[in-house]
Amino acid sequence: MSTYKSDFLHTLASRGFIHQVSEPEALDTLARSSAITGYIGFDCTAASLHVGSLLPIMMLYWMQETGHRPIALMGGGTTRVGDPSGKDESRQLLTDAAITANLGGFRAVFAKFLKFADAGGNAVMANNADWLNTLNYIDFLRDIGRHFSVNRMLAFDSVKLRLDRQQELSFLEFNYMVLQAYDFVELYRRYGCILQMGGSDQWGNIISGIDLGRRLDNAQLFALTAPLITTSSGAKMGKTAAGAVWLNADLVSPYDYWQYWRNTEDADVGRFLKLFTVLPLGEIERLAALKGAEINEAKKILATEATALVHGRAAAEQAAATARTTFEEGTVSKGLPTVRVPRQTLEGGITVADAAILAGFCNSKGEVRRAIANNSIAVNDSRVTSFELTLDEKDLTTEGVIKLSFGRKRHVLLKPAYEE
RNA sequence: GGGGGAGUGUCCCGAGCGGCAAAGGGGGCGGACUGUAAAUCCGCUGGCUGACGCCUUCGUAGGUUCGAGUCCUACCUCCCCCA
């Protein structure tokens, strides 16, 4: 399956994580004979990590799992600059306060995948703000800047793309790759880190770091990139009707997260099981081979396993149970997302339109109107045909809730709120 | 510096003789069919209104006109050619 002899590279390769590796033989040999240290950098542009970050996180997970030391590098410093790779326009700059706040949300997520010192493991969480924020400009130019050829930098895709399209590329962004390269060297010096991993769009930036390490410290550093993951039908990972699929439970509930994976396309099941669960490959092979409706079993396992990694086994099982009662038994499950409606409002009667907006299904009454015309909205599993329909306490089921549905997959329980 | 062209429905691309809430795609959402899949077909894809209708939208600001995405002026941004 793979020609790698080290546990680390063999695992990554056979699970589909590897796109490109610099000097694969040398790295393989090294990883076989000793514990190596490697890192991946993460942006702090959002308040939570999302499904797109999952792939790199899993690489760090396997790194630790196969006996090495992973470093999750928070881009507290580089996020202040903004990576131009793969973007047409410069990203909006975030305030330092926002970056710090975002960082806070990350640690808990990483702790679910990696064992840091407080959990008795060797994983490291670093923040490049620690060394970037205090850099002295002139010193930095003389020590680091001299090793960078502008001629070469102009040839990098991330830069060239912008220039070719006559898109603005500020000097600030132009420096991003220099800083990222410097990060690599800094981590090498601090932790003996010799490997940087990342998405395939990071290749150029990583190579810059390798070059810098060789020039400054005569170090042999390595690059490993992962393929860009899309669904079989070509869509980018991690988007749903409601937006990005975040890893924080307060942004995307375990139930919704489970649903996201449950709705994986047939053709992706095997690949995703390998990438996003830690099930043994033999088991995955068996699941991916299921045909027709049977592959739904594999999807449920994918959903439960993937959810368990992020939200814990109990939450995953609960999401699975909720899905089972909702979709397979067709009954009202208490595990569905609930929306509280003040009791007075309910007594006075609330229109379906307002309820649908409250539930987050629609943004305007016009949308609700169209949705009803399209047969999309149901109350307690019966189709709503009239825009005039008003809901009140008589519509409460024996469980004391009103089940409001949008389409066949999105359900919400309206629950009278007695407090406040 | 001179000449020519372009900016359209706040997701993207893109048509648009002065009557336009504005063609057509893509994407998205929903329905049918299925297996909570894919493919396919159908519907929807500015806001308010029960409805007549009203309001807001075509780079920005003015102007002409009963009426402007469309014509005129200035400005901004981008592309191409000449220098």
Side-chain angles (χ1 to χ4, degrees), chain A residues 15-285:
Chain A
R15 285 186 168 262
F17 283 96
I18 297 185
H19 178 244
Q20 269 179 295
V21 185
S22 67
E23 303 186 75
E25 297 81 11
L27 181 62
D28 196 32
T29 306
L30 207 56
R32 208 176 160 202
S33 58
S34 61
I36 62 172
T37 300
Y39 90 99
I40 299 177
F42 293 86
D43 258 350
C44 313
T45 41
S48 166
L49 294 159
H50 54 86
V51 168
S53 325
L54 215 49
L55 194 86
I57 293 176
M58 291 307 291
M59 292 200 279
L60 291 180
Y61 167 85
W62 287 115
M63 189 165 192
Q64 184 166 45
E65 201 62 19
T66 54
H68 303 282
R69 177 166 66 157
I71 299 176
L73 178 68
M74 302 298 104
T78 33
T79 301
R80 298 173 70 189
V81 173
D83 184 4
S85 299
K87 293 176 195 68
D88 270 4
E89 287 163 21
S90 33
R91 179 144 57 197
Q92 234 187 337
L93 287 180
L94 294 149
T95 64
D96 292 354
I99 293 171
T100 311
N102 291 344
L103 257 173
F106 286 17
R107 181 170 252 288
V109 173
F110 279 102
K112 289 175 178 157
F113 292 86
L114 304 176
K115 289 191 186 67
F116 294 104
D118 53 11
N122 64 355
V124 175
M125 190 154 183
N127 184 347
N128 62 15
D130 290 349
W131 53 86
L132 294 182
N133 284 3
T134 56
L135 283 180
N136 175 299
Y137 193 58
I138 302 293
D139 287 344
F140 185 74
L141 287 180
R142 288 181 61 103
D143 296 341
I144 309 299
R146 56 195 286 237
H147 296 295
F148 283 83
S149 151
V150 170
N151 309 48
R152 267 198 65 192
M153 286 170 74
L154 291 176
F156 276 106
D157 281 349
S158 57
V159 172
K160 220 173 76 181
L161 205 85
R162 286 277 192 92
L163 296 182
D164 286 350
R165 297 198 194 178
Q166 306 267 102
Q167 299 273 13
E168 174 77 9
L169 176 73
S170 71
F171 183 65
L172 176 78
E173 294 172 279
F174 187 59
N175 276 270
Y176 187 91
M177 89 170 64
V178 176
L179 295 179
Q180 186 170 335
Y182 179 68
D183 278 346
F184 200 170
V185 174
E186 188 67 28
L187 287 170
Y188 168 72
R189 289 174 176 171
R190 290 184 179 217
Y191 300 102
C193 177
I194 54 140
L195 171 67
Q196 182 181 174
M197 301 184 285
S200 52
D201 59 337
Q202 293 298 311
W203 183 257
N205 288 346
I206 299 176
I207 295 299
S208 294
I210 292 178
D211 284 346
L212 185 64
R214 185 176 333 107
R215 286 166 199 242
L216 288 176
D217 293 8
N218 199 27
Q220 187 182 22
L221 306 178
F222 299 90
L224 190 162
T225 57
L228 178 70
I229 305 293
T230 56
T231 66
S232 290
S233 31
K236 270 195 192 134
M237 290 276 301
K239 288 282 185 188
T240 66
V245 180
W246 304 106
L247 302 187
N248 285 17
D250 52 336
L251 293 173
V252 171
S253 70
Y255 170 76
D256 286 329
Y257 191 78
W258 193 94
Q259 284 297 323
Y260 172 75
W261 293 105
R262 170 65 245 260
N263 284 296
T264 296
E265 296 173 25
D266 285 9
D268 293 327
V269 171
R271 197 158 51 105
F272 287 2
L273 278 167
K274 282 194 265 184
L275 292 169
F276 302 112
T277 76
V278 298
L279 291 175
L281 288 173
E283 172 77 356
I284 289 173
E285 219 158 293

Side-chain angles (χ1 to χ4, degrees), chain A residues 271-348:
Chain A
R271 197 158 51 105
F272 287 2
L273 278 167
K274 282 194 265 184
L275 292 169
F276 302 112
T277 76
V278 298
L279 291 175
L281 288 173
E283 172 77 356
I284 289 173
E285 219 158 293
R286 184 186 71 78
L287 292 169
L290 294 174
K291 290 281 177 264
E294 289 186 341
I295 203 163
N296 282 330
E297 291 313 310
K299 290 186 191 180
K300 288 178 205 165
I301 291 170
L302 167 64
T304 303
E305 292 303 313
T307 305
L309 284 176
V310 177
H311 297 295
R313 180 63 56 182
E317 295 294 352
Q318 215 207 332
T322 300
R324 198 158 46 242
T325 50
T326 304
F327 289 98
E328 292 174 27
E329 296 163 18
T331 54
V332 175
S333 168
K334 284 192 297 186
L336 289 171
T338 60
V339 172
R340 297 194 163 272
V341 183
R343 190 170 47 96
Q344 294 92 332
T345 308
L346 196 60
E347 280 172 355

